[in-house]
CSV table of all heavy atoms in Angstrom, one decimal:
chain,number,residue,atom,x,y,z
A,1,MET,N,208.6,59.8,-40.3
A,1,MET,CA,208.7,61.2,-40.1
A,1,MET,C,208.0,61.6,-38.7
A,1,MET,O,206.8,61.5,-38.5
A,1,MET,CB,207.9,62.0,-41.2
A,1,MET,CG,208.7,61.9,-42.5
A,1,MET,SD,210.2,62.8,-42.5
A,1,MET,CE,211.3,61.5,-43.0
A,2,PHE,N,208.9,61.9,-37.8
A,2,PHE,CA,208.4,62.1,-36.4
A,2,PHE,C,207.4,63.4,-36.4
A,2,PHE,O,206.6,63.4,-35.6
A,2,PHE,CB,209.6,62.4,-35.5
A,2,PHE,CG,210.4,61.2,-35.3
A,2,PHE,CD1,211.7,61.2,-35.7
A,2,PHE,CD2,209.8,60.0,-34.7
A,2,PHE,CE1,212.5,60.0,-35.5
A,2,PHE,CE2,210.6,58.9,-34.5
A,2,PHE,CZ,211.9,58.9,-34.9
A,3,LYS,N,207.7,64.3,-37.3
A,3,LYS,CA,206.9,65.5,-37.2
A,3,LYS,C,205.4,65.3,-37.4
A,3,LYS,O,204.6,66.0,-36.9
A,3,LYS,CB,207.3,66.5,-38.3
A,3,LYS,CG,208.5,67.3,-37.9
A,3,LYS,CD,208.7,68.5,-38.8
A,3,LYS,CE,209.2,68.2,-40.1
A,3,LYS,NZ,209.6,69.3,-40.9
A,4,LEU,N,205.0,64.2,-38.1
A,4,LEU,CA,203.6,63.9,-38.3
A,4,LEU,C,202.8,63.6,-37.0
A,4,LEU,O,201.6,63.7,-37.0
A,4,LEU,CB,203.5,62.7,-39.3
A,4,LEU,CG,204.0,63.0,-40.7
A,4,LEU,CD1,203.9,61.8,-41.5
A,4,LEU,CD2,203.3,64.2,-41.3
A,5,PHE,N,203.6,63.2,-36.0
A,5,PHE,CA,202.9,62.9,-34.7
A,5,PHE,C,202.4,64.2,-34.0
A,5,PHE,O,201.6,64.1,-33.1
A,5,PHE,CB,203.8,62.2,-33.8
A,5,PHE,CG,204.0,60.7,-34.2
A,5,PHE,CD1,205.1,60.3,-34.9
A,5,PHE,CD2,203.0,59.8,-33.8
A,5,PHE,CE1,205.2,58.9,-35.2
A,5,PHE,CE2,203.1,58.5,-34.1
A,5,PHE,CZ,204.2,58.0,-34.8
A,6,LYS,N,203.0,65.3,-34.4
A,6,LYS,CA,202.9,66.5,-33.6
A,6,LYS,C,201.5,66.9,-33.2
A,6,LYS,O,201.2,67.2,-32.1
A,6,LYS,CB,203.5,67.7,-34.3
A,6,LYS,CG,204.0,68.8,-33.4
A,6,LYS,CD,204.8,69.8,-34.2
A,6,LYS,CE,205.4,70.8,-33.3
A,6,LYS,NZ,206.2,71.8,-34.0
A,7,ASN,N,200.5,66.8,-34.1
A,7,ASN,CA,199.2,67.3,-33.8
A,7,ASN,C,198.2,66.2,-33.6
A,7,ASN,O,197.0,66.5,-33.4
A,7,ASN,CB,198.7,68.2,-35.0
A,7,ASN,CG,199.6,69.4,-35.1
A,7,ASN,OD1,200.0,70.1,-34.1
A,7,ASN,ND2,200.0,69.8,-36.3
A,8,LEU,N,198.6,65.0,-33.6
A,8,LEU,CA,197.7,63.9,-33.5
A,8,LEU,C,197.1,63.8,-32.1
A,8,LEU,O,195.9,63.6,-31.9
A,8,LEU,CB,198.3,62.6,-33.9
A,8,LEU,CG,198.6,62.3,-35.3
A,8,LEU,CD1,199.2,61.0,-35.5
A,8,LEU,CD2,197.3,62.4,-36.1
A,9,PHE,N,197.9,63.9,-31.1
A,9,PHE,CA,197.4,63.6,-29.7
A,9,PHE,C,197.2,64.8,-28.9
A,9,PHE,O,196.9,64.7,-27.8
A,9,PHE,CB,198.5,62.7,-29.1
A,9,PHE,CG,198.8,61.4,-29.8
A,9,PHE,CD1,200.1,61.1,-30.1
A,9,PHE,CD2,197.7,60.6,-30.2
A,9,PHE,CE1,200.3,59.9,-30.8
A,9,PHE,CE2,198.0,59.4,-30.9
A,9,PHE,CZ,199.3,59.1,-31.2
A,10,GLU,N,197.4,66.0,-29.5
A,10,GLU,CA,197.3,67.2,-28.7
A,10,GLU,C,198.2,67.1,-27.4
A,10,GLU,O,199.4,66.7,-27.5
A,10,GLU,CB,195.9,67.6,-28.4
A,10,GLU,CG,195.1,67.8,-29.7
A,10,GLU,CD,193.7,68.4,-29.5
A,10,GLU,OE1,193.3,68.5,-28.3
A,10,GLU,OE2,193.1,68.6,-30.5
A,11,HIS,N,197.6,67.4,-26.3
A,11,HIS,CA,198.5,67.3,-25.1
A,11,HIS,C,198.0,66.3,-24.1
A,11,HIS,O,198.1,66.5,-22.9
A,11,HIS,CB,198.5,68.7,-24.4
A,11,HIS,CG,199.1,69.8,-25.3
A,11,HIS,ND1,200.4,69.8,-25.7
A,11,HIS,CD2,198.5,70.9,-25.9
A,11,HIS,CE1,200.6,70.8,-26.5
A,11,HIS,NE2,199.5,71.5,-26.6
A,12,ARG,N,197.4,65.2,-24.7
A,12,ARG,CA,196.9,64.2,-23.8
A,12,ARG,C,197.6,62.9,-24.1
A,12,ARG,O,198.0,62.6,-25.2
A,12,ARG,CB,195.4,64.0,-23.9
A,12,ARG,CG,194.6,65.2,-23.4
A,12,ARG,CD,193.1,65.0,-23.5
A,12,ARG,NE,192.5,66.1,-22.9
A,12,ARG,CZ,192.1,66.2,-21.6
A,12,ARG,NH1,192.4,65.2,-20.8
A,12,ARG,NH2,191.5,67.3,-21.1
A,13,CYS,N,197.8,62.1,-23.0
A,13,CYS,CA,198.3,60.7,-23.2
A,13,CYS,C,197.4,59.9,-24.0
A,13,CYS,O,196.2,59.8,-23.7
A,13,CYS,CB,198.6,60.1,-21.8
A,13,CYS,SG,199.1,58.4,-21.8
A,14,PRO,N,197.9,59.2,-25.0
A,14,PRO,CA,197.0,58.3,-25.8
A,14,PRO,C,196.6,57.1,-25.1
A,14,PRO,O,195.6,56.4,-25.4
A,14,PRO,CB,197.9,58.0,-27.0
A,14,PRO,CG,199.3,58.2,-26.6
A,14,PRO,CD,199.2,59.3,-25.5
A,15,GLU,N,197.3,56.8,-24.0
A,15,GLU,CA,197.0,55.6,-23.2
A,15,GLU,C,195.9,55.8,-22.1
A,15,GLU,O,194.9,55.1,-22.1
A,15,GLU,CB,198.3,55.1,-22.5
A,15,GLU,CG,198.1,53.9,-21.7
A,15,GLU,CD,198.2,52.6,-22.5
A,15,GLU,OE1,198.5,52.7,-23.7
A,15,GLU,OE2,198.0,51.5,-21.9
A,16,CYS,N,196.1,56.8,-21.3
A,16,CYS,CA,195.1,57.1,-20.2
A,16,CYS,C,194.4,58.4,-20.4
A,16,CYS,O,193.6,58.7,-19.6
A,16,CYS,CB,195.9,57.1,-18.9
A,16,CYS,SG,197.1,58.4,-18.7
A,17,ASN,N,194.7,59.1,-21.4
A,17,ASN,CA,194.0,60.4,-21.8
A,17,ASN,C,194.2,61.5,-20.7
A,17,ASN,O,193.5,62.5,-20.6
A,17,ASN,CB,192.5,60.1,-22.0
A,17,ASN,CG,191.9,61.1,-23.0
A,17,ASN,OD1,192.6,61.5,-23.9
A,17,ASN,ND2,190.7,61.5,-22.8
A,18,GLU,N,195.3,61.3,-19.9
A,18,GLU,CA,195.6,62.3,-18.9
A,18,GLU,C,196.3,63.5,-19.6
A,18,GLU,O,197.1,63.3,-20.6
A,18,GLU,CB,196.5,61.7,-17.9
A,18,GLU,CG,196.7,62.6,-16.7
A,18,GLU,CD,197.5,61.8,-15.6
A,18,GLU,OE1,197.1,60.7,-15.2
A,18,GLU,OE2,198.6,62.3,-15.2
A,19,LEU,N,196.2,64.7,-19.1
A,19,LEU,CA,196.9,65.8,-19.6
A,19,LEU,C,198.4,65.6,-19.4
A,19,LEU,O,198.9,65.2,-18.4
A,19,LEU,CB,196.5,67.1,-18.9
A,19,LEU,CG,195.3,67.9,-19.5
A,19,LEU,CD1,195.0,69.0,-18.6
A,19,LEU,CD2,195.6,68.3,-20.9
A,20,LEU,N,199.2,65.9,-20.4
A,20,LEU,CA,200.6,65.7,-20.3
A,20,LEU,C,201.2,66.9,-19.6
A,20,LEU,O,200.8,68.0,-19.8
A,20,LEU,CB,201.2,65.6,-21.8
A,20,LEU,CG,200.7,64.5,-22.6
A,20,LEU,CD1,201.3,64.5,-24.0
A,20,LEU,CD2,201.0,63.1,-22.0
A,21,SER,N,202.3,66.6,-18.8
A,21,SER,CA,203.0,67.7,-18.2
A,21,SER,C,204.0,68.2,-19.2
A,21,SER,O,204.6,67.5,-20.0
A,21,SER,CB,203.7,67.3,-16.9
A,21,SER,OG,204.6,66.3,-17.2
A,22,ILE,N,204.2,69.5,-19.3
A,22,ILE,CA,205.1,70.1,-20.3
A,22,ILE,C,206.3,70.8,-19.5
A,22,ILE,O,206.2,71.5,-18.6
A,22,ILE,CB,204.4,71.2,-21.1
A,22,ILE,CG1,203.2,70.5,-21.9
A,22,ILE,CG2,205.3,71.9,-22.0
A,22,ILE,CD1,202.4,71.5,-22.6
A,23,GLU,N,207.5,70.4,-20.0
A,23,GLU,CA,208.7,70.9,-19.5
A,23,GLU,C,209.6,71.5,-20.6
A,23,GLU,O,209.8,70.9,-21.6
A,23,GLU,CB,209.5,69.7,-18.8
A,23,GLU,CG,210.7,70.1,-18.1
A,23,GLU,CD,211.4,68.8,-17.6
A,23,GLU,OE1,210.7,67.7,-17.5
A,23,GLU,OE2,212.6,68.8,-17.3
A,24,ASN,N,210.0,72.7,-20.4
A,24,ASN,CA,210.9,73.4,-21.4
A,24,ASN,C,212.3,73.4,-20.9
A,24,ASN,O,212.6,73.8,-19.8
A,24,ASN,CB,210.4,74.8,-21.7
A,24,ASN,CG,209.2,74.8,-22.6
A,24,ASN,OD1,209.2,74.5,-23.7
A,24,ASN,ND2,208.0,75.2,-22.0
A,25,THR,N,213.2,72.9,-21.8
A,25,THR,CA,214.6,73.0,-21.5
A,25,THR,C,215.2,73.8,-22.6
A,25,THR,O,214.6,74.2,-23.5
A,25,THR,CB,215.3,71.6,-21.5
A,25,THR,OG1,215.4,71.1,-22.8
A,25,THR,CG2,214.5,70.6,-20.7
A,26,THR,N,216.5,74.1,-22.4
A,26,THR,CA,217.2,74.9,-23.4
A,26,THR,C,217.2,74.2,-24.8
A,26,THR,O,217.3,74.8,-25.8
A,26,THR,CB,218.6,75.3,-23.0
A,26,THR,OG1,219.3,74.1,-22.6
A,26,THR,CG2,218.6,76.3,-21.8
A,27,LEU,N,217.2,72.9,-24.7
A,27,LEU,CA,217.4,72.1,-25.9
A,27,LEU,C,216.1,71.7,-26.5
A,27,LEU,O,215.9,71.7,-27.8
A,27,LEU,CB,218.1,70.8,-25.5
A,27,LEU,CG,218.9,70.1,-26.6
A,27,LEU,CD1,219.9,71.0,-27.2
A,27,LEU,CD2,219.5,68.8,-26.0
A,28,CYS,N,215.1,71.4,-25.7
A,28,CYS,CA,213.8,70.9,-26.3
A,28,CYS,C,212.6,71.1,-25.3
A,28,CYS,O,212.8,71.5,-24.2
A,28,CYS,CB,213.9,69.4,-26.6
A,28,CYS,SG,214.2,68.4,-25.2
A,29,MET,N,211.5,70.8,-25.8
A,29,MET,CA,210.3,70.8,-25.0
A,29,MET,C,209.9,69.4,-24.8
A,29,MET,O,209.7,68.6,-25.8
A,29,MET,CB,209.1,71.6,-25.7
A,29,MET,CG,207.9,71.6,-24.9
A,29,MET,SD,206.6,72.6,-25.7
A,29,MET,CE,206.1,71.5,-27.0
A,30,ILE,N,209.6,69.0,-23.6
A,30,ILE,CA,209.3,67.6,-23.2
A,30,ILE,C,207.8,67.6,-22.7
A,30,ILE,O,207.5,68.3,-21.8
A,30,ILE,CB,210.2,67.1,-22.2
A,30,ILE,CG1,211.7,67.1,-22.6
A,30,ILE,CG2,209.8,65.6,-21.8
A,30,ILE,CD1,212.7,66.8,-21.5
A,31,LYS,N,207.0,66.7,-23.4
A,31,LYS,CA,205.7,66.5,-22.9
A,31,LYS,C,205.6,65.1,-22.4
A,31,LYS,O,206.0,64.2,-23.2
A,31,LYS,CB,204.7,66.8,-24.0
A,31,LYS,CG,204.5,68.2,-24.3
A,31,LYS,CD,203.4,68.5,-25.3
A,31,LYS,CE,203.8,68.3,-26.7
A,31,LYS,NZ,202.7,68.6,-27.7
A,32,SER,N,205.1,64.9,-21.2
A,32,SER,CA,205.1,63.5,-20.7
A,32,SER,C,203.9,63.2,-19.8
A,32,SER,O,203.4,64.1,-19.2
A,32,SER,CB,206.4,63.2,-19.9
A,32,SER,OG,206.5,64.1,-18.8
A,33,CYS,N,203.5,62.0,-19.9
A,33,CYS,CA,202.4,61.5,-19.0
A,33,CYS,C,203.1,61.2,-17.6
A,33,CYS,O,204.1,60.6,-17.5
A,33,CYS,CB,201.9,60.2,-19.6
A,33,CYS,SG,200.8,59.3,-18.4
A,34,SER,N,202.4,61.6,-16.6
A,34,SER,CA,202.9,61.4,-15.2
A,34,SER,C,203.0,59.9,-14.8
A,34,SER,O,203.6,59.6,-13.9
A,34,SER,CB,202.0,62.2,-14.2
A,34,SER,OG,200.7,61.6,-14.2
A,35,GLN,N,202.2,59.1,-15.6
A,35,GLN,CA,202.3,57.7,-15.3
A,35,GLN,C,203.2,56.9,-16.2
A,35,GLN,O,203.3,55.7,-16.2
A,35,GLN,CB,200.9,57.1,-15.4
A,35,GLN,CG,199.9,57.7,-14.4
A,35,GLN,CD,198.5,57.0,-14.5
A,35,GLN,OE1,198.4,55.8,-14.3
A,35,GLN,NE2,197.5,57.8,-14.9
A,36,GLY,N,203.9,57.7,-17.0
A,36,GLY,CA,205.0,57.1,-17.8
A,36,GLY,C,204.6,56.3,-19.1
A,36,GLY,O,205.4,55.6,-19.7
A,37,HIS,N,203.4,56.5,-19.5
A,37,HIS,CA,203.0,55.9,-20.7
A,37,HIS,C,203.6,56.5,-22.0
A,37,HIS,O,203.8,55.8,-23.0
A,37,HIS,CB,201.4,56.0,-20.9
A,37,HIS,CG,200.7,55.3,-19.8
A,37,HIS,ND1,199.7,56.0,-19.1
A,37,HIS,CD2,200.8,54.1,-19.2
A,37,HIS,CE1,199.2,55.2,-18.2
A,37,HIS,NE2,199.8,54.0,-18.2
A,38,TYR,N,203.8,57.8,-21.9
A,38,TYR,CA,204.0,58.5,-23.2
A,38,TYR,C,205.0,59.7,-22.9
A,38,TYR,O,204.9,60.3,-21.9
A,38,TYR,CB,202.7,59.0,-23.7
A,38,TYR,CG,202.7,59.8,-25.0
A,38,TYR,CD1,202.8,59.1,-26.2
A,38,TYR,CD2,202.8,61.2,-25.0
A,38,TYR,CE1,202.8,59.8,-27.4
A,38,TYR,CE2,202.9,61.9,-26.2
A,38,TYR,CZ,202.9,61.2,-27.4
A,38,TYR,OH,202.9,61.8,-28.5
A,39,LYS,N,205.9,59.9,-23.8
A,39,LYS,CA,206.8,61.0,-23.7
A,39,LYS,C,207.1,61.5,-25.1
A,39,LYS,O,207.3,60.8,-26.0
A,39,LYS,CB,208.0,60.6,-23.0
A,39,LYS,CG,209.0,61.7,-22.7
A,39,LYS,CD,210.2,61.2,-21.9
A,39,LYS,CE,211.4,62.1,-22.0
A,39,LYS,NZ,212.6,61.4,-21.6
A,40,GLU,N,207.1,62.8,-25.2
A,40,GLU,CA,207.4,63.4,-26.5
A,40,GLU,C,208.4,64.6,-26.4
A,40,GLU,O,208.3,65.4,-25.5
A,40,GLU,CB,206.0,64.0,-27.0
A,40,GLU,CG,206.1,64.6,-28.4
A,40,GLU,CD,204.7,65.2,-28.8
A,40,GLU,OE1,203.7,64.5,-28.7
A,40,GLU,OE2,204.7,66.4,-29.1
A,41,GLU,N,209.4,64.5,-27.1
A,41,GLU,CA,210.5,65.6,-27.1
A,41,GLU,C,210.4,66.3,-28.4
A,41,GLU,O,210.6,65.7,-29.5
A,41,GLU,CB,211.8,65.0,-26.9
A,41,GLU,CG,212.0,64.2,-25.6
A,41,GLU,CD,213.4,63.6,-25.4
A,41,GLU,OE1,214.2,63.7,-26.4
A,41,GLU,OE2,213.6,63.0,-24.4
A,42,THR,N,210.3,67.6,-28.3
A,42,THR,CA,210.2,68.5,-29.5
A,42,THR,C,211.4,69.4,-29.6
A,42,THR,O,211.7,70.2,-28.7
A,42,THR,CB,208.9,69.3,-29.5
A,42,THR,OG1,207.8,68.5,-29.5
A,42,THR,CG2,208.9,70.2,-30.8
A,43,TYR,N,212.2,69.1,-30.6
A,43,TYR,CA,213.4,70.0,-30.8
A,43,TYR,C,213.1,71.0,-31.9
A,43,TYR,O,213.2,70.7,-33.1
A,43,TYR,CB,214.6,69.1,-31.2
A,43,TYR,CG,215.0,68.1,-30.2
A,43,TYR,CD1,214.4,66.9,-30.1
A,43,TYR,CD2,216.0,68.4,-29.3
A,43,TYR,CE1,214.8,66.0,-29.1
A,43,TYR,CE2,216.4,67.5,-28.3
A,43,TYR,CZ,215.8,66.3,-28.2
A,43,TYR,OH,216.1,65.4,-27.3
A,44,SER,N,212.6,72.1,-31.5
A,44,SER,CA,212.1,73.1,-32.5
A,44,SER,C,213.2,73.6,-33.4
A,44,SER,O,213.0,73.9,-34.6
A,44,SER,CB,211.4,74.2,-31.8
A,44,SER,OG,212.2,74.8,-30.9
A,45,SER,N,214.4,73.7,-32.9
A,45,SER,CA,215.5,74.2,-33.7
A,45,SER,C,215.9,73.2,-34.8
A,45,SER,O,216.4,73.6,-35.9
A,45,SER,CB,216.8,74.4,-32.8
A,45,SER,OG,217.1,73.2,-32.2
A,46,LEU,N,215.6,71.9,-34.6
A,46,LEU,CA,215.8,70.9,-35.6
A,46,LEU,C,214.6,70.6,-36.4
A,46,LEU,O,214.6,69.9,-37.4
A,46,LEU,CB,216.3,69.6,-35.0
A,46,LEU,CG,217.6,69.8,-34.2
A,46,LEU,CD1,217.9,68.4,-33.5
A,46,LEU,CD2,218.8,70.1,-35.1
A,47,GLY,N,213.4,71.0,-35.9
A,47,GLY,CA,212.2,70.7,-36.6
A,47,GLY,C,211.8,69.2,-36.4
A,47,GLY,O,211.2,68.6,-37.2
A,48,VAL,N,212.2,68.6,-35.2
A,48,VAL,CA,212.1,67.2,-35.0
A,48,VAL,C,211.3,67.0,-33.7
A,48,VAL,O,211.5,67.6,-32.7
A,48,VAL,CB,213.5,66.5,-34.9
A,48,VAL,CG1,213.3,65.1,-34.4
A,48,VAL,CG2,214.2,66.5,-36.2
A,49,THR,N,210.3,66.0,-33.8
A,49,THR,CA,209.7,65.5,-32.6
A,49,THR,C,209.9,64.0,-32.4
A,49,THR,O,209.7,63.3,-33.3
A,49,THR,CB,208.1,65.8,-32.7
A,49,THR,OG1,207.9,67.2,-32.8
A,49,THR,CG2,207.4,65.3,-31.5
A,50,ILE,N,210.4,63.7,-31.2
A,50,ILE,CA,210.6,62.2,-31.0
A,50,ILE,C,209.6,61.8,-30.0
A,50,ILE,O,209.4,62.4,-28.9
A,50,ILE,CB,212.0,62.0,-30.4
A,50,ILE,CG1,213.1,62.6,-31.4
A,50,ILE,CG2,212.3,60.6,-30.1
A,50,ILE,CD1,214.5,62.6,-30.8
A,51,VAL,N,208.9,60.7,-30.3
A,51,VAL,CA,207.8,60.2,-29.5
A,51,VAL,C,208.2,58.8,-28.9
A,51,VAL,O,208.7,57.9,-29.6
A,51,VAL,CB,206.5,60.0,-30.3
A,51,VAL,CG1,205.4,59.4,-29.5
A,51,VAL,CG2,206.1,61.4,-30.8
A,52,TYR,N,208.1,58.7,-27.6
A,52,TYR,CA,208.2,57.5,-26.9
A,52,TYR,C,206.8,57.0,-26.4
A,52,TYR,O,206.3,57.6,-25.5
A,52,TYR,CB,209.1,57.6,-25.7
A,52,TYR,CG,210.5,58.2,-26.0
A,52,TYR,CD1,210.7,59.6,-25.9
A,52,TYR,CD2,211.5,57.4,-26.3
A,52,TYR,CE1,211.9,60.1,-26.2
A,52,TYR,CE2,212.8,57.9,-26.6
A,52,TYR,CZ,213.0,59.3,-26.5
A,52,TYR,OH,214.2,59.9,-26.8
A,53,ASP,N,206.3,56.0,-27.0
A,53,ASP,CA,204.9,55.6,-26.7
A,53,ASP,C,205.0,54.1,-26.2
A,53,ASP,O,205.1,53.2,-27.0
A,53,ASP,CB,204.1,55.7,-27.9
A,53,ASP,CG,202.6,55.5,-27.6
A,53,ASP,OD1,202.3,54.9,-26.5
A,53,ASP,OD2,201.7,55.8,-28.4
A,54,SER,N,204.9,53.9,-24.9
A,54,SER,CA,205.1,52.6,-24.4
A,54,SER,C,204.0,51.7,-24.7
A,54,SER,O,204.1,50.4,-24.7
A,54,SER,CB,205.3,52.6,-22.9
A,54,SER,OG,204.1,53.1,-22.3
A,55,SER,N,202.8,52.2,-25.1
A,55,SER,CA,201.7,51.4,-25.5
A,55,SER,C,201.9,50.7,-26.8
A,55,SER,O,201.2,49.7,-27.2
A,55,SER,CB,200.4,52.2,-25.5
A,55,SER,OG,200.4,53.1,-26.6
A,56,LYS,N,202.9,51.2,-27.6
A,56,LYS,CA,203.2,50.6,-28.9
A,56,LYS,C,204.5,49.8,-28.9
A,56,LYS,O,205.1,49.5,-29.9
A,56,LYS,CB,203.2,51.6,-30.0
A,56,LYS,CG,201.8,52.2,-30.2
A,56,LYS,CD,201.9,53.3,-31.3
A,56,LYS,CE,200.5,53.9,-31.5
A,56,LYS,NZ,200.5,55.3,-31.8
A,57,ASP,N,204.9,49.5,-27.7
A,57,ASP,CA,206.3,48.8,-27.5
A,57,ASP,C,206.1,47.3,-27.6
A,57,ASP,O,206.3,46.6,-26.6
A,57,ASP,CB,206.9,49.3,-26.2
A,57,ASP,CG,208.3,49.0,-26.1
A,57,ASP,OD1,208.9,48.7,-27.2
A,57,ASP,OD2,208.9,49.1,-25.1
A,58,ASP,N,205.7,46.8,-28.7
A,58,ASP,CA,205.4,45.4,-28.8
A,58,ASP,C,206.5,44.5,-29.2
A,58,ASP,O,206.5,43.3,-29.2
A,58,ASP,CB,204.3,45.2,-29.9
A,58,ASP,CG,202.9,45.8,-29.3
A,58,ASP,OD1,202.8,45.8,-28.1
A,58,ASP,OD2,202.1,46.1,-30.2
A,59,GLU,N,207.6,45.1,-29.7
A,59,GLU,CA,208.7,44.3,-30.2
A,59,GLU,C,209.7,44.0,-29.1
A,59,GLU,O,210.6,44.3,-28.9
A,59,GLU,CB,209.4,45.0,-31.4
A,59,GLU,CG,208.4,45.1,-32.5
A,59,GLU,CD,209.0,45.9,-33.7
A,59,GLU,OE1,209.7,46.9,-33.5
A,59,GLU,OE2,208.6,45.5,-34.8
B,1,ZN,ZN1,199.2,57.9,-19.5
């Protein structure tokens, strides 16, 4: 369930703890680390949050 990630990390990168930049598009809100560690897309109309976390990309 992607939604569970929503409040865990607030607005900081879990890798470098830098504040995430926030970008709003018509489709979703994108929060991302400027160094590319972490990206989160929130589709509020769908109630879905998709998290791309490169620090957990072990496979
Ligand atoms: Zn980072």
Side-chain angles (χ1 to χ4, degrees):
M1 291 291 124
F2 293 119
K3 276 199 285 190
L4 294 178
F5 283 98
K6 203 170 185 178
N7 296 316
L8 285 181
F9 304 127
E10 297 188 359
H11 298 294
R12 288 182 180 274
C13 175
E15 181 84 6
C16 63
N17 211 35
E18 188 176 307
L19 273 176
L20 301 176
S21 64
I22 298 177
E23 184 185 340
N24 282 293
T25 73
T26 52
L27 203 61
C28 64
M29 180 178 71
I30 302 170
K31 289 189 272 185
S32 60
C33 170
S34 62
Q35 298 183 60
H37 299 130
Y38 181 83
K39 184 176 161 194
E40 185 184 304
E41 296 177 0
T42 302
Y43 298 85
S44 54
S45 59
L46 301 174
V48 170
T49 299
I50 301 173
V51 174
Y52 305 91
D53 186 347
S54 65
S55 68
K56 292 180 181 146
D57 198 11
D58 290 334
E59 295 177 324

